[in-house]
Amino acid sequence: MPAESRFLAGTRLALTTFTTLPVRAGRIDRPVAGTAMALAPAVGALLGALLVGVLLLTAAVAPPLVAAGVTVGAAALLTRGLHLDGLADTVDALGSYRRDAAALEIMKKPDVGPFGVVALVVVLLVQAAALAELAGRSWPACVAAVVTATAAGRLGVTVACRRGVPAARPDGLGALVAGTVGPLALAVGAVAVALLAVGAVPDRPWQGPLAVAVALAVALLLLNHVVRRLGGITGDVLGATVEVVTTLVYLGLVLSG
């Protein structure tokens, strides 16, 4: 398959994996999956543009906290809630203190345990509170902040799928995408998100890139722990990474110094 066709197939796969946009998936294999995971931050930026539109339009007719709640709900709707589901399953598995197959079995269960519930509540509350604060900023800063956070969350997936990171199972999304992203694609994504972040806090242009860097550092620690406990990554782990990085970036963008 020509490189351009692989790019187009990867774009479709990225859109169908990370959003509910009505795009039909094409060829799916590991080379295409690698392209899709490299494009994840760009899809996150697109999603962020949609979400900031929801935030600003709702904030024009409702209190900021209401607008933030609507935006958090829209984010779940536009992603089928898959990242939140992955967060709950991953935290439940890690909270069980079991390893390998036993922990993976917990992740497969349809119910959500207490660790997962607490993780969901904390993440949604922090995101909503941060969005409420961002809604009161100038619209360029608000746009930059929301787009940065959502793009950074998907950059976390790019990081998780870098070469050398194994899959925890021989099948599923993790097996398809693990180890498919090369260093060049990872570097390009990181630089692009860092540039987006510069405008998120206009009077402190360093704060946005720093928030992204800290969030990704925490994601690396989490991923290293997950690989030790589970043997590799899964689709749930990727979803958890999205939510953790997104939430930490939002938090970093609203901290005042």
Side-chain angles (χ1 to χ4, degrees), residues 40-69:
V43 175
L46 173 62
L47 180 63
L50 296 174
L51 293 176
V52 77
V54 172
L55 178 65
L56 292 176
L57 289 174
T58 309
V61 296
L65 188 56
V66 173

Side-chain angles (χ1 to χ4, degrees), residues 100-123:
D100 301 324
L104 291 172
E105 189 60 32
I106 291 175
M107 296 177 77
K108 286 184 177 181
K109 292 182 178 180
D111 58 320
V112 179
F115 284 112
V117 171
V118 171
L120 289 174
V121 170
V122 171
V123 160

